[in-house]
C-alpha cells in the first residue's frame, strides 16, 4: 500500500480503504455500534463489537455474500440469550461465534442453564482497537465469559483484512483465567446466502473426508450435500459433519463469477455443514468446530467436551478468501 501512496495515483489513504465506527440511530437495532471496513479489493464488512466482535453483512464487489435472517440486526440489549430466544434474535451474518462453554440446543446442565449455542454472541468486546498497520485493516477486542464462583474465560480476537485484498483473517486466543480446569466449546457459525447460494452454487470439499448426517432427514441427502436446490416451503434443515479432511471448503458460483474459500486451524477438527433450503430460511452454514453441537451436558457424556487447564490458552483461526472466477 505504501508504494501506491508514493506512486502519485492517490492523495489520501481513504481512496484505498475505509475504516469507521457508526451507531445505528433508529429501528430495532438503535444503539448498535458497527465498525465498517471497505477495501480496494472489493470487500465491505460490518464488524459488531457489541456482539462478541463477530462479523455481520459482507459484500464482495457490491454483491451480498451472507445470510441475513428474518430478525436482522438487533440492539445489544436484545442479543443476550435467554431460554430459547436464539431463534428470535439470530441475525445470521458471516460469523456468529457460539460458545464459550456450550454449543447446540438449550438445556440444563446440573443446576446451570445453558442457552442455545451459548452466551458468547451476547457479550460485548472491550477494549476495541481499530487501525491500519502494515497495509492491513486491523480490529482487535477481548470478550470475557464469567460467573461468580464459576468460569473465567477470556477470548482475544484479532481480525486482519489486507487493504488491497479480499481476505478476512480471524485469529482467536481463548484462555482459562480461572484456578480450576474449565470445559469449553467453540463453533464458528459462518453463514452464506443468496445470491451466492442458489442452484448455480457448488460446495467444494476435499474428496478424502468422512461425512455423517446428524438426522435421518439429513441422511436422505447424502451424496448431494455439495449441491443446492431451489427454495422449498417448510423443508427441514439438514446438518452434516465432515471429518478427517484437509481444513478447507469453498462455495463457487460461476454464474456470479465468485468463489469464497474458507480455511481454518487444526484446533477445530470438525466441519459442520448447515444446509437449509427452506423458503425464507435459505442458507448454507459452514461451521468449523471442536465438538458435535450436542450441548455441554451431552458432549461431556459423549467424551467430546475439551478442557482447558488453569491459565492454559488455545489458539483458533479462520480465513475467508473472496475471488472472481
Amino acid at each position: 500500500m505504501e508504494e501506491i501512496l508514493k506512486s502519485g495515483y492517490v492523495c489520501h489513504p481513504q481512496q484505498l480503504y475505509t475504516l469507521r465506527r457508526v451507531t445505528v440511530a433508529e429501528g430495532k437495532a438503535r444503539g448498535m455500534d458497527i465498525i465498517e471496513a471497505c477495501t480496494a479489493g472489493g470487500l465491505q464488512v460490518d464488524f459488531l463489537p457489541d456482539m462478541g466482535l463477530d462479523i455481520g453483512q459482507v459484500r464482495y464487489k457490491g454483491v451480498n455474500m451472507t445470510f441475513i435472517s428474518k430478525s436482522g440486526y438487533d440492539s445489544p440489549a436484545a442479543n443476550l440469550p435467554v431460554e430459547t430466544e436464539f431463534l428470535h434474535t439470530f441475525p445470521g451474518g458471516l460469523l456468529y461465534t457460539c460458545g464459550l462453554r456450550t454449543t447446540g440446543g438449550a438445556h440444563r446442565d446440573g443446576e446451570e442453564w445453558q442457552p442455545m449455542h451459548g452466551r458468547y454472541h451476547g457479550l460485548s468486546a472491550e477494549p476495541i482497537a481499530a487501525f491500519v498497520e502494515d497495509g492491513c485493516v486491523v480490529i482487535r477486542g477481548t470478550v470475557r465469559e464469567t460467573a461468580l464462583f464459576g468460569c473465567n474465560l477470556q477470548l482475544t480476537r484479532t481480525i486482519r483484512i489486507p487493504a488491497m485484498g479480499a481476505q478476512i483473517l480471524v485469529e482467536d486466543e481463548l484462555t482459562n483465567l480461572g484456578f480450576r480446569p474449565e470445559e469449553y466449546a467453540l463453533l464458528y457459525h459462518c453463514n452464506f446466502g443468496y445470491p451466492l447460494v442458489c442452484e448455480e452454487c457448488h460446495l467444494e470439499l476435499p474428496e478424502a473426508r468422512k461425512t455423517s448426517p446428524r438426522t435421518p432427514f439429513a441422511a436422505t441427502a447424502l451424496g448431494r450435500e455439495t449441491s443446492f436446490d431451489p427454495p422449498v416451503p417448510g423443508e427441514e434443515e439438514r446438518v452434516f459433519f465432515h471429518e478427517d479432511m484437509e481444513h478447507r471448503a469453498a462455495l463457487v458460483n460461476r454464474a456470479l463469477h465468485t468463489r469464497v474459500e474458507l480455511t481454518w486451524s487444526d484446533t477445530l477438527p470438525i466441519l459442520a455443514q448447515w444446509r437449509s433450503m427452506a423458503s425464507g430460511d435459505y442458507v448454507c452454514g459452514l461451521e468449523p468446530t471442536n465438538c458435535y453441537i450436542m450441548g455441554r451436558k451431552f458432549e461431556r457424556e459423549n467424551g467430546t467436551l475439551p478442557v482447558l487447564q488453569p491459565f492454559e490458552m488455545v489458539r483458533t483461526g479462520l480465513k475467508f478468501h473472496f475471488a472472481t472466477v
Side-chain angles (χ1 to χ4, degrees):
M1 186 172 69
E2 185 177 354
E3 290 75 13
I4 294 177
L5 292 173
K6 292 178 178 178
S7 68
Y9 287 105
V10 299
C11 63
H12 196 291
Q14 286 190 356
Q15 287 186 233
L16 304 177
Y17 67 87
T18 299
L19 179 61
R20 62 188 173 198
R21 298 188 67 160
V22 301
T23 301
V24 179
E26 61 182 8
K28 62 181 293 192
R30 180 182 298 153
M32 176 183 180
D33 286 335
I34 299 176
I35 301 174
E36 296 180 343
C38 303
T39 74
L43 281 184
Q44 298 171 266
V45 186
D46 286 354
F47 297 99
L48 313 177
D50 292 322
M51 289 83 180
L53 201 54
D54 276 340
I55 303 174
Q57 187 169 45
V58 174
R59 292 183 176 89
Y60 175 57
K61 297 191 174 180
V63 179
N64 174 62
M65 298 284 107
T66 51
F67 169 69
I68 303 298
S69 78
K70 300 181 184 77
S71 299
Y73 290 162
D74 214 331
S75 70
N79 273 279
L80 193 63
V82 179
E83 300 296 326
T84 57
E85 287 302 301
F86 173 89
L87 298 178
H88 296 274
T89 61
F90 174 62
L94 184 70
L95 175 59
Y96 183 109
T97 305
C98 305
L100 295 168
R101 302 178 68 238
T102 188
T103 64
H107 66 287
R108 186 164 295 281
D109 181 20
E111 296 182 355
E112 184 179 9
W113 175 254
Q114 300 294 338
M116 187 170 184
H117 279 326
R119 294 180 169 85
Y120 180 91
H121 188 79
L123 302 173
S124 296
E126 57 179 350
I128 297 292
F131 54 94
V132 177
E133 179 182 74
D134 298 329
C136 287
V137 172
V138 182
I139 301 169
R140 182 176 294 126
T142 296
V143 175
R144 297 181 65 208
E145 182 172 347
T146 61
L148 182 65
F149 306 125
C151 66
N152 191 3
L153 290 170
Q154 173 179 286
L155 186 142
T156 298
R157 171 165 291 174
T158 303
I159 302 173
R160 291 181 173 86
I161 310 177
M164 300 300 298
Q167 299 90 39
I168 304 173
L169 178 64
V170 181
E171 299 172 319
D172 286 348
E173 294 183 349
L174 174 61
T175 306
N176 177 14
L177 295 179
F179 290 88
R180 64 186 186 192
E182 186 65 48
E183 299 162 326
Y184 72 100
L186 273 173
L187 171 72
Y188 292 86
H189 213 295
C190 307
N191 308 288
F192 301 91
Y194 184 84
L196 175 66
V197 177
C198 62
E199 301 94 297
E200 286 76 28
C201 186
H202 176 75
L203 174 61
E204 290 183 357
L205 292 171
E207 289 188 13
R209 69 180 188 274
K210 173 188 172 184
T211 297
S212 54
R214 187 178 187 183
T215 63
F217 182 71
T220 64
L222 275 174
R224 55 186 183 93
E225 63 270 15
T226 58
S227 61
F228 301 98
D229 306 319
V232 180
E235 182 173 271
E236 183 181 336
E237 65 182 358
R238 291 180 170 97
V239 175
F240 305 95
F241 295 108
H242 305 293
E243 303 173 76
D244 302 332
M245 62 179 242
E246 185 181 355
H247 290 177
R248 63 175 178 84
L251 289 166
V252 182
N253 186 326
R254 296 195 178 276
L256 204 62
H257 307 292
T258 301
R259 183 177 192 273
V260 184
E261 182 177 70
L262 173 64
T263 56
W264 58 95
S265 62
D266 291 342
T267 44
L268 303 167
I270 303 163
L271 176 67
Q273 176 195 350
W274 176 36
R275 182 179 182 273
S276 173
M277 301 290 94
S279 299
D281 296 306
Y282 192 86
V283 54
C284 175
L286 300 177
E287 307 169 17
T289 177
N290 66 353
C291 58
Y292 291 93
I293 325 179
M294 296 187 294
R296 181 178 178 86
K297 176 179 183 292
F298 306 102
E299 295 282 355
R300 184 187 304 112
E301 294 171 353
N302 196 49
T304 51
L305 187 61
V307 176
L308 279 176
Q309 297 301 318
F311 301 98
E312 183 182 5
M313 183 263 286
V314 61
R315 291 186 174 91
T316 56
L318 307 173
K319 182 179 180 181
F320 303 89
H321 183 198
F322 300 79
T324 300
V325 294

